[in-house]
Amino acid sequence: MSELQVIRTLRRDSQKKRVAGYARVSTADEHQDSSYRLQIQELEDSIRANPRFEFIGIFKDRKSGRNIKDRQEFNTMIELAMLGEIEVIITKSITRFARNLLDTVSIVRELKINNVEVYFQKEGISTLDPSIEMILTVLAMHAEEESKNISENTNWSFKRKMRAGGNFTTYLYGYNITKGVWTINENEAAVVRLIFDWYLKNFSYRQIINKLFKLGIKTSTGKDHWATGTIEQMLRNEKYAGHMSLGKSHESNGVRVRSTRLENDESMIMNHHDPIISPTVFDRAMAIRDERAGESKRIYVPHLGRTSPFYTFVYSIENSKFLNYRIERPKNKYEIPTLYCYDKHRKNRVSMTVENLFLLLNNALGKLSQQSHTLNSEINNLLDQAINQLIVVGNNVTEEKLELLTKKVSLNNAKNRLLNFIKQIKHFSNMNEVEEFKRLVRVVEMVDRQTYNIRLALVEDNSLDFCLLNSKITLKVGAKNRDVSFFIYL
């Protein structure tokens, strides 16, 4: 019996179709770069070679995954297709599009409803084919089984190499790795140390990312903004402490699955290579991370504290804690909005009423506004002096150099904001909302029950520590009046 070949008839539209390609690696293997680049080039060449196609671009994902949520460019491509910006999607095969049968069929159906065609080159199938769902079901089931076999073979390969003491890391930011030999890249290592240092100083991932951006430190791929996941993975990576864990990940259905904890001591090679940060620093970072994760589960900050605008605004130096917000009801007769905290032993209660906080800030900022005519030149000179004192020399990126650059960027930013800041001080009038005060005041420090430091929001930290004004105010505390001293710092 002769074979019959069904050839799909092309519509003779005068207008070109808007066509995009989609490529991705089939597993998390780092050695598939050449295959990945070849995929992209072949897709682009085939689309450009067709005179009926208008080339939109190639959407590509390096990260493998069974779940489409992990593929950013894939999702973007589908959104554009739904909006009518893409009429045809060409991909190498079903396994490059989606290995999950339900995802494949669901997306194909949705695209067909919106008149978007998907063409699988390897299988020679278009979603315009009436029998596409039956064909997809058979082929996707086959792909699932093939993927499962690959997973088992890959896991066996990994285990065999682990037993031989090998590793699969060919690149890690901070190191140069050549033929299994690890040497520290000093420029990148300085950045790694700085990230760990900031984390140990209780900076959040977002704060660390912002600082790296302000310093102009780019990612390993040349991007201006670091990803939160990248920072988290660096802080969790035992390799920066010189160790090598070979059991953190495994292959599951063709996908590299990574454990979040270092639990398998048998697969840990201690002192495998020169460390960038000390094991002690790494252990402290892991402890902080575990503590943050545990505290978030226990809601370590009261709900009212987390949602209150007073959160992280008033700080007790005695107790080394920020004050939380609550409504106190003495004898259930009336309500008093209050800020309070205890020390780590749940003793030494420090508190102040919101009313007194506002009286203090209004009095302090009011007095500062009275000398606003001299503030501009005074602060400008202070900033210039501080900036000129920060001498940054040398071509190599060192930890010390990065710290100096951080301060310099912060002070330059403050100088750029100075005119607008002085304008707000000059036109200051009494305020009764904490968000209004936050535009001018970064933090209020309670040195003790009779002394307060008011840190202006112009500078991001306490690096200048210059007192612009000091005075006193009488506040009613309970049934008594108390004289309170305050200092306004730049």
Side-chain angles (χ1 to χ4, degrees), residues 20 54 59 77 81 84 96 104 139 192 200 249 264 273 283 307 310 385 397 444 460 477 484:
E54 176 188 343
F59 294 84
M77 177 183 68
R96 293 295 190 269
T104 304
L139 290 176
V192 174
L200 295 186
S249 60
N264 193 350
H273 50 270
D283 289 343
T307 57
F310 293 94
Q385 291 175 18
V397 179
V444 177
E460 296 175 352
V477 182
V484 169

Short mmCIF file of all heavy atoms in Angstrom, two decimals, residues 20 54 59 77 81 84 96 104 139 192 200 249 264 273 283 307 310 385 397 444 460 477 484:
data_model
loop_
_atom_site.label_atom_id
_atom_site.label_comp_id
_atom_site.label_asym_id
_atom_site.label_seq_id
_atom_site.Cartn_x
_atom_site.Cartn_y
_atom_site.Cartn_z
N ALA A 20 6.54 34.18 15.51
CA ALA A 20 7.57 34.16 16.56
C ALA A 20 8.05 32.74 16.76
O ALA A 20 7.32 31.77 16.50
CB ALA A 20 7.01 34.70 17.87
N GLU A 54 6.39 37.55 8.76
CA GLU A 54 7.02 38.74 9.34
C GLU A 54 7.64 38.31 10.67
O GLU A 54 6.93 37.89 11.59
CB GLU A 54 5.99 39.84 9.57
CG GLU A 54 6.56 41.08 10.26
CD GLU A 54 5.50 42.09 10.65
OE1 GLU A 54 4.36 41.99 10.13
OE2 GLU A 54 5.80 42.96 11.50
N PHE A 59 11.43 33.94 21.37
CA PHE A 59 11.26 33.90 22.82
C PHE A 59 12.01 32.69 23.33
O PHE A 59 11.88 31.58 22.78
CB PHE A 59 9.77 33.82 23.18
CG PHE A 59 9.00 35.05 22.80
CD1 PHE A 59 8.52 35.22 21.51
CD2 PHE A 59 8.80 36.06 23.72
CE1 PHE A 59 7.82 36.35 21.15
CE2 PHE A 59 8.10 37.21 23.37
CZ PHE A 59 7.62 37.36 22.08
N MET A 77 5.17 35.47 25.60
CA MET A 77 4.80 35.13 24.22
C MET A 77 3.32 34.79 24.11
O MET A 77 2.62 35.25 23.19
CB MET A 77 5.65 33.95 23.74
CG MET A 77 5.31 33.44 22.35
SD MET A 77 6.31 31.99 21.92
CE MET A 77 5.64 30.76 23.08
N ALA A 81 0.37 36.70 22.01
CA ALA A 81 -0.44 35.97 21.04
C ALA A 81 -1.93 36.20 21.31
O ALA A 81 -2.72 36.39 20.38
CB ALA A 81 -0.11 34.48 21.10
N GLY A 84 -3.21 39.32 19.91
CA GLY A 84 -3.21 39.44 18.46
C GLY A 84 -1.91 39.92 17.86
O GLY A 84 -1.82 40.16 16.65
N ARG A 96 9.82 20.87 23.50
CA ARG A 96 10.34 22.22 23.71
C ARG A 96 9.22 23.20 24.07
O ARG A 96 9.46 24.27 24.56
CB ARG A 96 11.05 22.73 22.44
CG ARG A 96 12.33 22.00 22.09
CD ARG A 96 13.40 22.22 23.16
NE ARG A 96 14.69 21.73 22.71
CZ ARG A 96 15.15 20.51 22.91
NH1 ARG A 96 14.40 19.63 23.56
NH2 ARG A 96 16.34 20.15 22.48
N THR A 104 -0.01 21.33 27.57
CA THR A 104 0.08 21.39 26.11
C THR A 104 -1.30 21.53 25.48
O THR A 104 -1.56 22.43 24.68
CB THR A 104 0.77 20.14 25.55
OG1 THR A 104 2.05 20.00 26.18
CG2 THR A 104 0.95 20.23 24.05
N LEU A 139 1.66 11.78 21.26
CA LEU A 139 3.06 12.21 21.28
C LEU A 139 3.49 12.72 22.66
O LEU A 139 4.61 12.48 23.10
CB LEU A 139 3.29 13.29 20.22
CG LEU A 139 3.24 12.81 18.77
CD1 LEU A 139 3.38 13.99 17.82
CD2 LEU A 139 4.35 11.80 18.51
N VAL A 192 30.61 39.52 46.54
CA VAL A 192 30.03 38.44 47.35
C VAL A 192 30.17 38.76 48.83
O VAL A 192 29.22 38.64 49.61
CB VAL A 192 30.70 37.09 47.03
CG1 VAL A 192 30.19 36.00 47.98
CG2 VAL A 192 30.42 36.68 45.59
N LEU A 200 24.22 40.26 57.01
CA LEU A 200 24.47 40.12 58.45
C LEU A 200 24.12 41.40 59.21
O LEU A 200 23.89 41.37 60.41
CB LEU A 200 25.94 39.75 58.70
CG LEU A 200 26.40 38.39 58.18
CD1 LEU A 200 27.83 38.11 58.63
CD2 LEU A 200 25.48 37.27 58.65
N SER A 249 20.53 18.56 44.70
CA SER A 249 19.55 18.51 43.62
C SER A 249 19.52 17.13 42.99
O SER A 249 20.46 16.35 43.10
CB SER A 249 19.87 19.57 42.56
OG SER A 249 21.15 19.33 42.01
N ASN A 264 22.14 16.36 53.71
CA ASN A 264 22.85 15.12 53.46
C ASN A 264 24.35 15.30 53.73
O ASN A 264 25.12 15.66 52.85
CB ASN A 264 22.62 14.68 52.01
CG ASN A 264 23.08 13.25 51.79
OD1 ASN A 264 23.72 12.66 52.63
ND2 ASN A 264 22.73 12.71 50.63
N HIS A 273 37.53 23.80 48.29
CA HIS A 273 38.28 24.84 47.58
C HIS A 273 38.44 26.04 48.50
O HIS A 273 37.91 26.07 49.60
CB HIS A 273 37.54 25.24 46.29
CG HIS A 273 36.09 25.57 46.52
ND1 HIS A 273 35.09 24.63 46.45
CD2 HIS A 273 35.48 26.73 46.87
CE1 HIS A 273 33.92 25.19 46.72
NE2 HIS A 273 34.13 26.46 46.99
N ASP A 283 27.63 30.38 58.28
CA ASP A 283 26.73 29.81 59.29
C ASP A 283 25.83 30.89 59.89
O ASP A 283 24.64 30.66 60.14
CB ASP A 283 27.53 29.12 60.39
CG ASP A 283 28.19 27.83 59.92
OD1 ASP A 283 27.77 27.32 58.86
OD2 ASP A 283 29.13 27.37 60.58
N THR A 307 1.31 46.28 60.00
CA THR A 307 0.46 47.08 59.12
C THR A 307 0.45 48.54 59.52
O THR A 307 -0.04 49.38 58.78
CB THR A 307 -0.98 46.55 59.15
OG1 THR A 307 -1.47 46.56 60.51
CG2 THR A 307 -1.05 45.13 58.61
N PHE A 310 3.69 53.27 61.75
CA PHE A 310 4.74 53.57 62.73
C PHE A 310 5.83 52.50 62.73
O PHE A 310 6.86 52.67 63.40
CB PHE A 310 4.14 53.66 64.15
CG PHE A 310 3.22 54.82 64.34
CD1 PHE A 310 1.85 54.67 64.17
CD2 PHE A 310 3.71 56.07 64.68
CE1 PHE A 310 0.99 55.74 64.35
CE2 PHE A 310 2.86 57.15 64.85
CZ PHE A 310 1.49 56.98 64.69
N GLN A 385 32.20 68.37 51.98
CA GLN A 385 33.36 67.95 52.77
C GLN A 385 33.40 66.42 52.90
O GLN A 385 34.45 65.79 52.75
CB GLN A 385 33.31 68.59 54.16
CG GLN A 385 33.55 70.10 54.16
CD GLN A 385 33.38 70.70 55.54
OE1 GLN A 385 33.40 70.00 56.55
NE2 GLN A 385 33.18 72.01 55.60
N VAL A 397 38.20 45.95 42.36
CA VAL A 397 37.05 46.12 43.25
C VAL A 397 37.35 45.39 44.55
O VAL A 397 37.50 44.18 44.57
CB VAL A 397 35.77 45.55 42.61
CG1 VAL A 397 34.59 45.70 43.55
CG2 VAL A 397 35.48 46.24 41.29
N VAL A 444 13.37 58.09 64.63
CA VAL A 444 13.48 58.76 65.93
C VAL A 444 14.11 57.77 66.89
O VAL A 444 13.59 56.67 67.09
CB VAL A 444 12.10 59.21 66.46
CG1 VAL A 444 12.24 59.84 67.84
CG2 VAL A 444 11.44 60.18 65.49
N GLU A 460 20.70 58.55 54.02
CA GLU A 460 20.13 57.22 54.21
C GLU A 460 20.61 56.51 55.47
O GLU A 460 19.99 55.54 55.90
CB GLU A 460 20.46 56.34 52.99
CG GLU A 460 19.83 56.84 51.70
CD GLU A 460 20.25 56.02 50.49
OE1 GLU A 460 21.15 55.17 50.67
OE2 GLU A 460 19.70 56.23 49.41
N VAL A 477 3.83 63.08 80.78
CA VAL A 477 3.98 61.63 80.83
C VAL A 477 3.21 61.12 82.02
O VAL A 477 3.60 61.33 83.16
CB VAL A 477 5.46 61.22 80.93
CG1 VAL A 477 5.59 59.70 80.93
CG2 VAL A 477 6.26 61.83 79.79
N VAL A 484 12.20 67.03 78.22
CA VAL A 484 12.84 66.10 77.29
C VAL A 484 13.81 66.87 76.40
O VAL A 484 13.45 67.92 75.85
CB VAL A 484 11.78 65.39 76.43
CG1 VAL A 484 12.43 64.63 75.29
CG2 VAL A 484 10.95 64.44 77.29
#
